[in-house]
């Protein structure tokens, strides 16, 4: 279940969040090259705000993936210790 969750998070990160962030950054870059670019306009501030939100979402997804991977590692390590103790007792 945890591995499936990691795979789903990676899919969301790689197929939804990263492309969306790339598109918004490209849009902001294009806006900045325009002669009529106003950095304090509603559109520019809203776009920068949306980019920050998506960057925070990306960071949260990366943290969730790292936490899930740590959980799997700890779970497997715990199982290994248990099996080693059981083997030692049976001998």
């Amino acid at each position: 279940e945890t591995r499936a969750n990691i795979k789903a998070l990676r899919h969301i990160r790689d197929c939804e969040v990263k492309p969306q962030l790339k598109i918004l950054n490209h849009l902001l870059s294009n806006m900045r090259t325009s002669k009529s670019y106003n950095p304090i306009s509603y559109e520019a501030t809203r776009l920068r705000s949306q980019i920050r939100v998506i960057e925070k979402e990306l960071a949260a997804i990366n943290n969730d993936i790292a936490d899930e991977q740590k959980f799997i590692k700890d779970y497997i390590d715990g199982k290994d210790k248990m099996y080693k103790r059981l083997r030692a007792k049976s001998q």
Side-chain angles (χ1 to χ4, degrees), residues 25-35 37 39 48:
N25 279 327
H26 183 69
L27 177 61
L28 183 61
S29 174
N30 284 343
M31 283 176 65
R32 285 182 177 155
T33 59
S34 172
K35 292 178 183 177
Y37 174 67
R48 286 191 303 274

Side-chain angles (χ1 to χ4, degrees), residues 1 7 15 23 25 38 43 45 48 51 71-72 78 82 85-86 90:
E1 179 183 343
K7 190 171 183 178
C15 296
I23 289 168
N25 279 327
N38 181 4
E43 292 81 11
T45 47
R48 286 191 303 274
I51 289 172
F71 173 77
I72 288 176
M82 181 188 70
R85 277 189 259 137
L86 288 174
S90 67

Side-chain angles (χ1 to χ4, degrees), residues 36-68:
S36 61
Y37 174 67
N38 181 4
I40 58 173
S41 70
Y42 172 78
E43 292 81 11
T45 47
R46 180 72 178 126
L47 184 58
R48 286 191 303 274
S49 172
Q50 189 64 28
I51 289 172
R52 281 192 301 274
V53 167
I54 293 174
E55 286 173 342
K56 287 179 184 178
E57 183 179 345
L58 183 60
I61 289 172
N62 286 333
N63 287 338
D64 289 346
I65 290 172
D67 291 343
E68 294 283 341

